[in-house]
Amino acid sequence: MPPTMAPTAEESIAAIKDSLPPNSDYLTYLTIIEYHLCPEILPALHDILQDKDLTANIGWDLIHLLLPLLPDSRSCLEDVARLGNPREVVLKVTECLRKPELEEDHFATLLSVLSILLPRIKTKFPSRFLSTSLVTILSTYSESPTDTRTVDVISFIKTISGKKRPQLPPRKSSINIPTIFGESAPDPEGHSEPPSDEEARIQSRLLQSFITHVIEEYILSFTSEDDMPGLAWSMRFHEKAYPNELNPNKETYQKKFGRNEALQTREETVGQIVALSRDLGLMPKDLLDYMLAPDVLIHHSGEDEVPPPSSPVDIPLSKTGCLYLLAAVVIATFLFDSPAPDLISISFREFVVLTRHNIGRNEIGGMNGIGTEPEAIVDALLAIGRYSFHNDHFTDLKDLDDDEFTVELQKYSLLSSNSPSPSLRLNSHLLTTSLLQAHPSDMVRLSFIRDTLEHCPIENLKESAVWWLRDELMRARQNKDQGVTTVFNTPVAVEVLVPFLYPDLRKTAAGDGDEAWNNFVCNFPFYNTALNFFYFLLCSPLMDFAAICSKHNIKENYFEPLKTMATRFAEAKRDFPKPDMGEVGMQEIQIVETSLQLVEDKLASLNVN
């Protein structure tokens, strides 16, 4: 039996015209359309779908058939959106949105169809359809929050909310929000009674919630290449606020954004989200207030799907999204001098709450997990913190309990050590230093330095503590000239820290070679920092450090044993270079030897025994 020949386009067009109801029932007609469907018959199908009764009865079942024929089928899909039963078609569209690995143009077109359908539904509770649609869109978007999809989502929200602004160049949405050449059909099941004011507030809150989750997903999707956490807000703040501290031989982050089209697209897209969030009523104070409020656990009765909200308070915002929105407003105001009449001041206590919500949470291991948070979240938090301190120096910092202050400071200092991003480590260190120096109590500052030197197992934080102490001594000298006396004007500050700065190394130096070597490798950076500080104190008029050395036997207990270890390991490296001797090489040992020699010469000149 010869194979059946596929019908020609002319035959298919004739078939769908000749079998129009009442020549066939609706179900049979759908089967005929499906059999003959091809790009060539779409213009004819578009004309057929202008029949409101026909499209109201079959439109819902055409969505999945027309979608694979995009972009040729766009006009037919718009016909279905205008004239099909909106409640049935919405369900079919959301079903199509749930398909895995949805193509970009399919996603954009389905949003376009929804933007026509949702306003057509006339019911006392339109939020139920809006809620289901937004949840589905967000789920699909989150699987691949690309630049293109994000702009598509922005266009969709602008359309259904009536908040239309011009698009920022160069990104364009893949959505063509349609110019409708015919009127949309009324909702056949519609209610004439308008929704209540409470229902309007629910819809508004749904859109606000949705946009906070969109920006969360979008920014968290950024890859951090070339040390680019999020939008590098904290580093770009630092560059503008402290230009004299920049390395002239290193390209600034602001210049990177100026030459990199992908980064510009990210920033422009986030700018559109921020503008839309404000149009939707999310002001900076609203964002801050929501982040400061305790988390509210919303209970459901065990259904598989979350029921539609019955009140605006049932609709949570994304606190991470709120953080991004607030940081974006703050930094844009500072970087580009953009007006922000509703910008708010953030107190230190408020910043502490933001920190607790985002850094060292129990879900990631508490304090032990600090540094593993998403880099974009850390960047946004540091940008807000550094900007707020720059603005008013956190004048309420003194109101925190001393222990509470210390715990929070430990978080920022741990970030400065543990973050994999060099720029975030720098900004964390600078924020820690600023907060520590701003505390009015010299004893709190000394206690924090001591606690770091005594208990912190992280060597680079102990190095930071040495620099904090050095800065305190320098500032104390300046303050003394102005008649202000603190503990750092006295030898007490250094004397209480001697056991942690210059511990007794005699037993270590005389012990097992491998053990001594491991100690040297682990502590090499701190040893070198402490030696440089040793030399600084010997040369400084701040205090009689030579007398402190003699009093605490620092030369005998610390200096000589360290010198013995360095000489011993240098000889071992020269005579028996083994790959298993650790990462500290000959160059590092020579650095310590040079520092030791400087200190030794100075001790000799001061006759310190």
Side-chain angles (χ1 to χ4, degrees):
M1 187 177 200
T4 303
M5 298 293 291
T8 65
E10 290 77 10
E11 291 172 336
S12 293
I13 291 172
I16 65 172
K17 287 183 176 179
D18 294 343
S19 56
L20 272 166
N23 296 333
S24 65
D25 59 67
Y26 291 124
L27 186 59
T28 302
Y29 189 61
L30 275 170
T31 304
I32 293 170
I33 290 177
E34 183 174 6
Y35 176 75
H36 289 281
L37 195 59
C38 62
E40 289 77 14
I41 75 163
L42 290 174
L45 182 61
H46 168 62
D47 292 337
I48 290 171
L49 290 176
Q50 303 314 304
D51 183 327
K52 296 181 180 179
D53 290 337
L54 174 69
T55 307
N57 281 280
I58 70 170
W60 67 276
D61 216 18
L62 288 176
I63 295 292
H64 72 287
L65 300 177
L66 292 169
L67 207 57
L69 297 181
L70 282 169
D72 299 325
S73 60
R74 185 181 297 276
S75 60
C76 292
L77 284 163
E78 291 172 5
D79 295 331
V80 173
R82 290 189 303 108
L83 305 175
N85 185 311
R87 301 169 189 239
E88 293 177 347
V89 180
V90 162
L91 295 177
K92 201 67 177 181
V93 170
T94 54
E95 178 184 312
C96 290
L97 275 169
R98 294 189 184 101
K99 291 183 178 179
E101 300 180 2
L102 193 67
E103 296 179 17
E104 293 279 359
D105 60 337
H106 292 189
F107 178 78
T109 301
L110 289 171
L111 292 193
S112 178
V113 170
L114 275 177
S115 71
I116 301 171
L117 288 167
L118 289 172
R120 288 183 56 207
I121 298 175
K122 303 303 179 185
T123 173
K124 293 176 66 175
F125 305 105
S127 63
R128 295 177 180 178
F129 290 91
L130 178 62
S131 174
T132 302
S133 299
L134 294 180
V135 168
T136 304
I137 293 170
L138 184 64
S139 176
T140 302
Y141 169 79
S142 300
E143 294 173 0
S144 179
T146 62
D147 297 328
T148 301
R149 280 193 174 187
T150 306
V151 178
D152 289 341
V153 167
I154 293 170
S155 297
F156 166 73
I157 294 299
K158 286 178 179 178
T159 301
I160 65 170
S161 67
K163 310 295 184 182
K164 295 184 178 179
R165 288 184 179 219
Q167 299 257 50
L168 294 178
R171 286 297 311 158
K172 292 185 178 179
S173 170
S174 58
I175 289 182
N176 276 326
I177 298 299
T179 301
I180 301 174
F181 296 102
E183 290 185 3
S184 294
D187 181 356
E189 304 170 49
H191 289 264
S192 58
E193 182 182 346
S196 65
D197 291 343
E198 179 75 352
E199 175 65 16
R201 285 190 288 270
I202 291 175
Q203 292 184 75
S204 175
R205 188 62 166 183
L206 282 169
L207 295 176
Q208 291 176 344
S209 173
F210 181 75
I211 206 67
T212 64
H213 285 88
V214 166
I215 194 172
E216 175 185 8
E217 296 294 339
Y218 181 56
I219 293 183
L220 285 178
S221 74
F222 295 169
T223 53
S224 181
E225 298 175 357
D226 193 25
D227 189 23
M228 187 65 66
L231 286 172
W233 283 320
S234 59
M235 200 64 211
R236 292 159 73 195
F237 163 82
H238 177 72
E239 289 173 348
K240 183 169 183 179
Y242 305 97
N244 295 333
E245 297 181 12
L246 304 182
N247 181 348
N249 299 317
K250 186 176 181 181
E251 183 181 31
T252 65
Y253 279 76
Q254 198 63 16
K255 287 183 179 178
K256 289 180 182 179
F257 272 79
R259 66 169 174 78
N260 188 306
E261 184 177 346
L263 294 178
Q264 291 172 15
T265 296
R266 289 180 180 180
E267 186 153 65
E268 290 160 0
T269 304
V270 167
Q272 289 193 59
I273 297 174
V274 171
L276 180 55
S277 72
R278 297 178 83 140
D279 289 343
L280 294 173
L282 282 177
M283 298 296 115
K285 187 177 186 307
D286 301 318
L287 299 169
L288 181 62
D289 288 347
Y290 188 81
M291 287 188 286
L292 296 178
D295 290 331
V296 177
L297 184 61
I298 299 174
H299 295 279
H300 301 297
S301 56
E303 299 93 327
D304 290 336
E305 294 188 7
V306 176
S310 58
S311 168
V313 298
D314 294 338
I315 306 167
L317 305 182
S318 160
K319 287 195 172 183
T320 299
C322 291
L323 181 74
Y324 290 145
L325 288 170
L326 183 59
V329 172
V330 164
I331 297 305
T333 302
F334 183 78
L335 290 181
F336 309 114
D337 301 316
S338 58
D342 54 357
L343 193 62
I344 53 175
S345 177
I346 299 174
S347 69
F348 183 64
R349 186 169 288 281
E350 291 169 335
F351 183 64
V352 164
V353 176
L354 298 186
T355 301
R356 290 173 182 169
H357 281 314
N358 293 284
I359 304 298
R361 293 174 64 97
N362 290 333
E363 301 94 294
I364 63 167
M367 297 288 277
N368 293 329
I370 289 179
T372 63
E373 298 87 354
E375 291 183 1
I377 291 178
V378 177
D379 175 59
L381 184 69
L382 289 173
I384 291 173
R386 295 208 65 200
Y387 170 83
S388 300
F389 184 86
H390 181 77
N391 255 18
D392 68 0
H393 292 272
F394 282 143
T395 52
D396 66 324
L397 182 145
K398 63 183 183 299
D399 299 334
L400 246 69
D401 174 83
D402 292 347
D403 291 338
E404 189 179 9
F405 172 77
T406 298
V407 169
E408 297 307 318
L409 208 56
Q410 286 173 348
K411 293 179 182 178
Y412 311 130
S413 65
L414 284 171
L415 272 176
S416 73
S417 170
N418 296 346
S419 173
S421 162
S423 65
L424 295 182
R425 290 199 302 270
L426 171 64
N427 278 280
S428 300
H429 170 74
L430 293 172
L431 179 61
T432 305
T433 301
S434 296
L435 295 174
L436 178 63
Q437 293 179 348
H439 199 284
S441 169
D442 56 344
M443 296 307 297
V444 168
R445 301 196 302 273
L446 178 60
S447 175
F448 185 78
I449 293 171
R450 173 174 176 160
D451 184 68
T452 304
L453 289 170
E454 182 178 4
H455 300 295
C456 182
I458 304 172
E459 292 303 308
N460 59 1
L461 288 186
K462 292 167 70 173
E463 293 175 63
S464 295
V466 175
W467 287 104
W468 293 330
L469 177 58
R470 182 182 182 277
D471 289 345
E472 289 289 354
L473 296 176
M474 298 286 288
R475 290 198 307 148
R477 174 64 182 270
Q478 296 171 356
N479 292 338
K480 188 175 182 180
D481 294 341
Q482 301 170 7
V484 179
T485 301
T486 71
V487 69
F488 295 101
N489 292 120
T490 70
V492 172
V494 172
E495 286 200 63
V496 298
L497 299 178
V498 162
F500 318 114
L501 285 167
Y502 308 110
D504 190 336
L505 297 178
R506 289 175 296 178
K507 185 176 179 180
T508 301
D512 176 78
D514 289 341
E515 182 181 344
W517 171 251
N518 290 333
N519 178 281
F520 187 82
V521 168
C522 292
N523 295 285
F524 156 75
F526 179 64
Y527 284 154
N528 199 54
T529 299
L531 284 172
N532 289 330
F533 185 59
F534 199 133
Y535 184 76
F536 163 79
L537 290 174
L538 288 173
C539 298
S540 172
L542 298 174
M543 66 186 65
D544 186 359
F545 188 62
I548 294 176
C549 285
S550 298
K551 178 180 177 181
H552 294 275
N553 298 319
I554 295 177
K555 182 178 180 182
E556 177 185 351
N557 296 344
Y558 176 85
F559 182 81
E560 295 294 349
L562 183 57
K563 181 181 176 183
T564 298
M565 284 195 291
T567 301
R568 176 178 164 191
F569 298 140
E571 291 174 353
K573 276 279 187 181
R574 282 191 291 264
D575 298 340
F576 306 102
K578 296 180 181 180
D580 61 348
M581 290 188 73
E583 297 180 359
V584 175
M586 196 66 209
Q587 184 177 2
E588 286 81 3
I589 295 174
Q590 288 173 344
I591 290 173
V592 173
E593 288 185 315
T594 300
S595 299
L596 284 165
Q597 189 61 53
L598 284 171
V599 172
E600 185 173 35
D601 292 344
K602 191 63 180 178
L603 287 171
S605 70
L606 296 173
N607 296 319
V608 177
N609 297 321

